[in-house]
Amino acid sequence: MKSAVETLNPTRVRLTVEVPFEELKDSLDAAYKKINQQVTVKGFRKGKIPARVIDQRFGRGAVLEEAVNDALPKFYTEAVNEAELNVLGQPEVDITELKDNETLNFTAEVDVRPTIEIPDYSGIEVEVDAVEVSDEDVDKAVEELRGRFASTSPVERAAEDGDVVTIDLEAKVDGEVLEDGVAKDVSYTIGSGELLEGIDDAVKGLEAGGEATFTSELKGGSAAGKESEVTVKVTQVAKRELPELDDDFAQLASEFDTLDELKADSRKRLENMKQFDQATQAQERVLEKLLELVEVPVPEKLLADEIQTRKHNLVNHQLGQMGLDLAKYLEIQGKTEEEFDAETKEQAEKGIKTQFVLDELVNKEKLNVNQEELTEHLMRRAQSSGMSPDQFAQAVVEGGQVPMLVGEVARGKALAVVVEAATVKDTKGEVIDLSDGDEDEADDSAEAAASADADASGEEKTEA
């Protein structure tokens, strides 16, 4: 077999392959054997029909077609390996010449990963938010904890802000009660904003047994997004009582003996959260700077496929679960379809470029993924998916997704290398040292940047 490569553009090549006919022998034998098992000829036992009889009865062309279909993937793969190509997706194959007992010639056009030059990234500088926790932040956190230990007691008066009311709801659209528009004994805290818009004004001032009607846009269900006439009936009003903020509360709500210790712990937790957010912000901004430094051509078909995948996931999964269609979603977002398409294209292009650049960094820095790192990443992914680690691991193995997870971890490590080399300052001008930060954060940031959804689809689509 002889092959040659022609570069059509930075992301696409054409392979020209010439195969001597004798190299088709194994595939021809397999073709005769397959046809033998599929047909019957009077006077011959099944599977024992001579090749010349098959040629006479069914035509040599049918045998050649079967043999070529069997052989093409093997010769294509050999040509790709010989040329050391990093191909993306499936090739477009065209048989240019097929002469019986002489030769098989074909071409294969296919997208390839572009050659990327990673520049010196040690000069990257970014600014991030400073880690600041105010007394007000601590008080708010303690107050939220206090709210979880609140008790309620029924009262015989009109409902007020902060009260917990038990209500019955009935929603109508165009005068018809919806099948899923009736709810009984719903507990609702006035002012929480957890139910329909307008319900607070409707129930305030009502005593047990009172009812009111208001108009609101439904957030979910069969009529999500539609204006509905909602009738609400209050069956009970209860006063919400918060525990006193003292040492007794600290002992009730935590492992601490005093309120001061509880507040100190709340401050530390808030600082840790802000430090995590700061590290994530640094990784995202360093990645943005890195992408600005690198010229990355994107294969057109790969980009089109990624855009289609993102739109499909949004419409059929995310919006479908909320009972919305794309038109209603765009109306809520205040976007035109053209703006949505442009944003989707920009996000898809960024995701592909991110994966290409970080993968090139993995190769350049010779980064490897060990079993412990892969296991930790699998545990995190399992937690975010709502599956147990064993269930998630089984799904990954059965779906052949282990290389995808390895790629996610490796790209996270590559991003961590760049962040460590960059200069990161906070808004106060102080240099932030992230070299001892959690590599998990870098992993998660890289994964989020390189994929649309929690499914990290880029790896699957860009590896043939």
Side-chain angles (χ1 to χ4, degrees), residues 46-113:
K46 195 174 186 65
K48 300 295 183 179
I49 308 170
R52 58 179 177 76
V53 175
I54 290 177
D55 290 346
Q56 293 169 357
R57 288 292 188 96
F58 306 102
R60 174 73 166 175
V63 179
L64 288 175
E65 181 179 0
E66 182 67 39
V68 169
N69 288 339
D70 175 74
L72 276 179
K74 180 185 69 172
F75 292 125
Y76 165 73
T77 301
E78 287 180 8
V80 166
N81 292 338
E82 186 177 284
E84 298 182 340
L85 298 176
N86 198 336
V87 299
L88 307 169
Q90 298 301 314
E92 295 179 6
V93 177
D94 180 29
I95 297 174
T96 55
E97 185 176 23
L98 175 59
K99 290 185 177 179
D100 195 2
N101 291 313
E102 290 187 30
T103 187
L104 163 66
N105 298 335
F106 69 91
T107 62
E109 288 190 18
V110 66
D111 288 333
V112 293
R113 277 183 180 255

Side-chain angles (χ1 to χ4, degrees), residues 249-278:
F249 168 69
Q251 294 167 22
L252 170 69
S254 70
E255 70 271 28
F256 302 105
D257 293 328
T258 67
L259 184 60
D260 288 341
E261 289 175 327
L262 173 60
K263 287 186 175 181
D265 181 70
S266 295
R267 184 180 295 276
K268 183 62 177 176
R269 289 175 184 271
L270 289 171
E271 287 174 350
N272 289 340
M273 289 172 59
K274 287 181 178 287
Q275 286 170 351
F276 181 91
D277 292 342
Q278 185 187 65

